[in-house]
């Protein structure tokens, strides 16, 4: 039976890895992904919105951007996603048996968060979920033991290191420690007498030192920014945010997986015993605080569904244990229960439809009639058409430079990190142009630092401005007081399946007459 599960998990990992690799190759970057490319392009101890690990991963797997393509930059997600599947199998096997591990791996693969969001797209969640799963596996091997031995202390210190690496991937990885401390305080206080526990915690904090140093030099801007996003005292009750969060969780985690997790929690509350209680307590202590925290925030502030997703991932092994208990028949397990078949089918259909929608626009998602807003409601256009913008802009730029209307060194300027990062990667990079930001810090994020790295702004400079119909902003409304003249040069039509689906508008901005107030930017 062990050999059977070993073979099954092997083929699950191989097949899912191949599918994710193909998906990574086929589609352009989303807004967030292309922004994190700048983390690798301009590495730092930390960044405005997130710690540095996602940028370090991109540097590592792309050989410091020697291979600079969607596939190469997403390679960390493909590789780590493969390890994630195996780790959740090991966790399930640890808490019960091989069937539990296999079911957990299937549930994780069926999750849109696990399969696509961290398994294909390159985001801070990619390294975070890998380190969280690895840390949880190590804690599970250590804390519930009957007798604490030297080898357990060593594993505990290693778990602290791995958790620390998770924390410099994304701050929410600290919930691993929150869960561990809750478990120890309420269920296993003997560890409070162990010096190793405190050493392990110190190791995690040491890992976070670069992030703390960067924030010290930059007025703790990263913590301030995230604090504002979840400050419930400045907002009133808003149930729209709450229902949007719940709906997002339902989709991101896969509706079937989400429902199975809820059923599993209800079974535990009702006293069903399908796995050792110590494992139930530990995984619940880690998973539930993440979920409850951000659901609580969603009652007052806008949240994003993937914030709670790591919490649901931590509950997947327990759900696998519940399924393995339910789907055993006369000691012969069912390898693929019907709920898992439906869950996997949902994920397969979703990514097939998603790829088709992005590349061919099979479903009309936009009903906008305004010329400059075409495609505004079609989110799939964020990941399509940027190669067309580059090719047509290159021709427009050549005409203007040849006519001596603008210098060949003139940069592209924008006022928001998105779609500025898309323009940077898909338009400016192949044309060897600079992209600079002129706007509020909360809008331009890391581009405040990038602009300084690229020489900054200076009076008298001319610049290009490109805005697409997905996020149309007339530059005159934001830059009228900065430039002596702002004029539209041309309009780029973005076609998909023979139809004009979106537009990009190209402006010339002449003679920068004043500079913005400087931000506090570290000179390190």
């Amino acid at each position: 039976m062990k050999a059977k599960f070993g073979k099954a998990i092997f083929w699950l990992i191989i097949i899912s890895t191949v599918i994710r690799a193909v998906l990574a190759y086929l589609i352009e970057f989303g807004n967030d992904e292309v922004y994190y490319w700048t983390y690798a392009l301009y590495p730092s101890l930390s960044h405005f919105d997130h710690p540095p690990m996602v940028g370090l991963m991109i540097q590592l797997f792309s050989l410091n951007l020697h291979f600079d393509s969607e596939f190469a930059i997403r390679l960390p997600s493909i590789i780590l996603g493969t390890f994630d599947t195996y780790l959740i199998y090991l966790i399930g096997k640890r808490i019960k048996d091989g069937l539990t591990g296999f079911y957990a791996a299937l549930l994780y693969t069926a999750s849109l968060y696990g399969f696509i969001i961290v398994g294909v797209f390159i985001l801070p969640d990619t390294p975070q979920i890998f380190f969280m799963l690895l840390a949880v596996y190590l804690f599970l091997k250590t804390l519930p033991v009957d007798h604490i031995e030297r080898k357990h202390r060593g594993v505990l210190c290693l778990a602290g290191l791995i958790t620390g690496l998770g924390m410099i991937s994304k701050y929410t990885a600290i919930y691993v420690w929150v869960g561990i401390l809750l478990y120890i305080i309420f269920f296993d206080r003997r560890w409070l007498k162990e010096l190793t526990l405190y050493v392990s915690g110190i190791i995690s904090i040491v890992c976070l030192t670069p992030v703390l140093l960067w924030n010290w030099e930059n007025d703790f801007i990263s913590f301030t920014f995230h604090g504002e996003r979840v400050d419930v005292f400045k907002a009133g009750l808003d149930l729209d945010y709450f229902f949007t969060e719940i709906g997002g969780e339902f989709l991101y985690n896969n509706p079937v997986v989400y429902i199975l997790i809820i059923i599993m929690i209800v079974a535990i509350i009702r006293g069903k015993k399908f796995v050792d209680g110590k494992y139930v307590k530990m995984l619940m202590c880690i998973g539930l605080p993440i979920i409850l925290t951000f659901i609580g925030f969603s009652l007052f502030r806008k949240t994003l569904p993937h914030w709670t997703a790591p919490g649901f991932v931590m509950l997947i092994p327990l759900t696998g244990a519940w399924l393995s208990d339910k789907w055993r028949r006369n000691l012969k397990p069912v390898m693929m229960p019907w709920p898992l078949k439906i869950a996997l089918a949902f994920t397969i259909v979703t990514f097939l439809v998603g790829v088709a929608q992005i590349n061919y626009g099979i479903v009309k998602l936009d009903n906008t009639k305004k010329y400059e807003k075409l495609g505004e409601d079609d989110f799939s256009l964020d990941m399509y058409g940027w190669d067309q913008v580059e090719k047509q802009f290159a021709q427009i730029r050549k005409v203007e430079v040849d006519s001596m209307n603008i210098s060949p060194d003139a940069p592209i300027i924008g006022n928001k990190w998105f779609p500025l990062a898309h323009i940077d990667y898909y338009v400016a990079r192949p044309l060897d142009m600079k992209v600079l930001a002129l706007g509020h810090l909360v809008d331009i994020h890391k581009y405040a630092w990038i602009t300084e790295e690229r020489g900054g702004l200076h009076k008298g400079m001319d610049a290009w401005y490109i805005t697409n119909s997905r996020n149309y902003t007339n530059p005159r409304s934001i830059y009228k007081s900065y430039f002596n003249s702002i004029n539209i040069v041309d309009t780029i039509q973005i076609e998909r399946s023979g139809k004009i689906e979106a537009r990009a508008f190209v402006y010339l901005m002449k003679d920068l007459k004043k500079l913005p107030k400087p931000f506090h930017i570290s000179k390190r």
Side-chain angles (χ1 to χ4, degrees):
M1 189 62 71
K2 290 182 179 180
K4 187 176 183 179
F5 292 131
K7 186 177 181 180
I9 194 66
F10 172 80
W11 283 111
L12 175 64
I13 288 173
I14 292 297
I15 293 169
S16 66
T17 300
V18 170
I19 293 172
R20 289 185 292 104
V22 171
L23 192 58
Y25 177 79
L26 287 177
I27 56 178
E28 294 179 0
F29 287 127
N31 282 333
D32 291 330
E33 291 183 280
V34 74
Y35 174 68
Y36 297 125
W37 161 74
T38 68
Y39 282 25
L41 190 64
Y42 292 96
S44 180
L45 292 179
S46 193
H47 305 279
F48 176 82
D49 14 32
H50 288 293
M53 184 61 77
V54 64
L56 297 175
M57 286 290 180
I58 294 172
Q59 285 183 276
L60 175 64
F61 284 88
S62 68
L63 301 183
N64 201 25
L65 295 178
H66 177 76
F67 299 101
D68 196 354
S69 66
E70 289 96 345
F71 181 82
I73 291 170
R74 286 172 171 152
L75 192 56
S77 296
I78 299 168
I79 301 300
L80 295 183
T82 300
F83 283 108
D84 293 343
T85 308
Y86 187 62
L87 280 169
I88 209 156
Y89 164 76
L90 291 178
I91 291 172
K93 187 178 178 182
R94 178 76 189 178
I95 67 173
K96 190 168 185 178
D97 53 26
L99 181 62
T100 295
F102 182 60
Y103 282 177
L106 287 171
L107 288 164
Y108 184 77
T109 302
S111 162
L112 295 182
Y113 177 79
F115 187 74
I116 295 176
I117 295 174
V118 300
V120 176
F121 301 153
I122 183 66
L123 302 167
D125 292 64
T126 296
Q128 175 194 229
I129 205 67
F130 167 73
F131 288 121
M132 286 182 73
L133 284 171
L134 181 54
V136 168
Y137 176 66
L138 294 173
F139 278 121
L140 285 168
K141 290 183 66 175
T142 306
L143 297 185
V145 296
D146 294 327
H147 303 288
I148 302 172
E149 300 177 8
R150 183 175 181 180
K151 62 180 180 180
H152 300 129
R153 295 183 176 94
V155 173
L156 183 58
C157 288
L158 180 59
L161 172 63
I162 299 301
T163 305
L165 295 177
M167 288 159 59
I168 62 169
S169 300
K170 196 172 180 179
Y171 298 123
T172 45
I174 198 172
Y175 275 93
V176 173
W177 268 119
V178 171
I180 293 303
L181 292 176
L182 286 173
Y183 171 78
I184 290 173
I185 291 169
F186 288 105
F187 305 111
D188 198 350
R189 292 190 183 89
R190 61 191 172 133
W191 281 100
L192 293 175
K193 301 176 183 178
E194 280 289 328
L195 178 62
T196 312
L197 176 68
Y198 304 99
V199 173
S200 182
I202 291 170
I203 291 172
S204 293
I205 295 171
V206 169
C207 289
L208 201 59
T209 300
V211 175
L212 298 174
L213 287 174
W214 185 90
N215 273 277
W216 175 269
E217 294 180 358
N218 290 278
D219 297 330
F220 291 94
I221 188 65
S222 187
F223 300 132
T224 302
F225 168 69
H226 287 294
E228 288 288 333
R229 297 176 81 184
V230 295
D231 187 350
V232 299
F233 298 105
K234 294 182 179 179
L237 184 67
D238 193 325
L239 292 180
D240 286 343
Y241 289 153
F242 172 76
F243 288 118
T244 299
E245 169 64 31
I246 298 300
E249 291 176 3
F250 192 70
L251 177 62
Y252 276 40
N253 294 286
N254 186 312
V256 177
V257 175
Y258 191 85
I259 291 170
L260 289 174
I261 291 173
I262 299 300
I263 293 173
M264 178 275 297
I265 293 173
V266 171
I268 290 174
I269 293 172
R270 295 178 62 183
K272 298 290 184 181
K273 298 187 183 299
F274 47 84
V275 70
D276 192 316
K278 58 190 176 185
Y279 296 128
V280 172
K281 293 168 184 174
M282 186 180 298
L283 290 173
M284 289 292 233
C285 282
I286 296 171
L288 286 181
I290 306 175
I291 297 169
L292 296 176
T293 297
F294 292 112
I295 287 179
F297 285 144
S298 73
L299 290 168
F300 304 93
R301 301 296 295 261
K302 183 178 180 180
T303 56
L304 297 174
H306 68 276
W307 293 357
T308 58
F312 286 99
V313 170
M314 297 304 132
L315 302 182
I316 280 178
L318 293 176
T319 309
W322 176 80
L323 280 169
S324 70
D325 184 70
K326 187 174 180 61
W327 261 271
R328 290 179 188 272
R329 296 292 183 269
N330 299 321
L331 300 180
K332 184 179 180 180
V334 178
M335 288 298 291
M336 187 77 74
W338 63 263
L340 291 180
K341 291 179 181 178
I342 296 174
L344 289 168
F346 175 85
T347 296
I348 292 170
V349 170
T350 299
F351 91 75
L352 288 175
V353 170
V355 172
Q357 177 64 30
I358 290 168
N359 290 321
Y360 304 105
I362 58 173
V363 179
K364 184 174 177 57
L365 298 176
D366 180 68
N367 294 307
T368 306
K369 302 299 181 183
K370 291 184 178 179
Y371 183 86
E372 70 276 5
K373 297 285 188 177
L374 182 64
E376 182 180 36
D377 298 326
D378 189 345
F379 61 88
S380 67
L381 288 168
D382 283 338
M383 307 175 78
Y384 181 85
W386 289 102
D387 57 334
Q388 297 180 43
V389 175
E390 185 272 326
K391 290 175 183 177
Q392 295 183 56
F393 174 73
Q395 297 173 0
I396 295 168
R397 177 175 178 247
K398 184 177 186 305
V399 170
E400 296 299 322
V401 170
D402 289 347
S403 302
M404 301 184 71
N405 289 332
I406 193 169
S407 166
D409 297 327
I412 300 171
I413 285 180
N415 71 310
K416 290 189 176 182
W417 66 268
F418 72 93
L420 201 58
H422 262 124
I423 293 168
D424 201 349
Y425 186 84
Y426 286 107
V427 180
R429 181 182 61 96
L431 297 176
D432 196 26
M433 296 178 67
K434 290 181 180 179
V435 164
L436 307 177
L438 176 55
H440 301 294
L441 184 59
V442 294
D443 292 327
I444 63 177
H445 292 201
K446 183 174 173 63
Y447 272 95
W449 286 260
I450 292 174
T451 298
E452 290 294 310
E453 290 269 0
R454 289 173 171 171
L457 305 164
H458 59 267
K459 289 183 179 179
M461 74 187 305
D462 300 336
W464 298 94
Y465 179 88
I466 302 173
T467 181
N468 67 4
S469 53
R470 279 277 295 138
N471 303 280
Y472 177 77
T473 303
N474 189 320
R476 296 188 187 96
S477 66
I478 50 176
Y479 292 144
K480 184 178 180 180
S481 64
Y482 283 96
F483 289 90
N484 275 326
S485 67
I486 301 174
N487 296 297
I488 190 166
V489 176
D490 210 337
T491 300
I492 295 170
Q493 311 289 356
I494 301 171
E495 296 186 2
R496 184 168 63 178
S497 297
K499 299 178 181 179
I500 298 174
E501 297 276 281
R503 298 183 176 95
F505 304 91
V506 181
Y507 290 81
L508 267 182
M509 305 191 295
K510 305 285 288 186
D511 187 18
L512 181 65
K513 56 188 179 182
K514 71 173 185 177
L515 298 177
K517 293 180 180 180
F519 304 116
H520 173 69
I521 294 175
S522 171
K523 300 302 181 182
R524 175 179 37 77

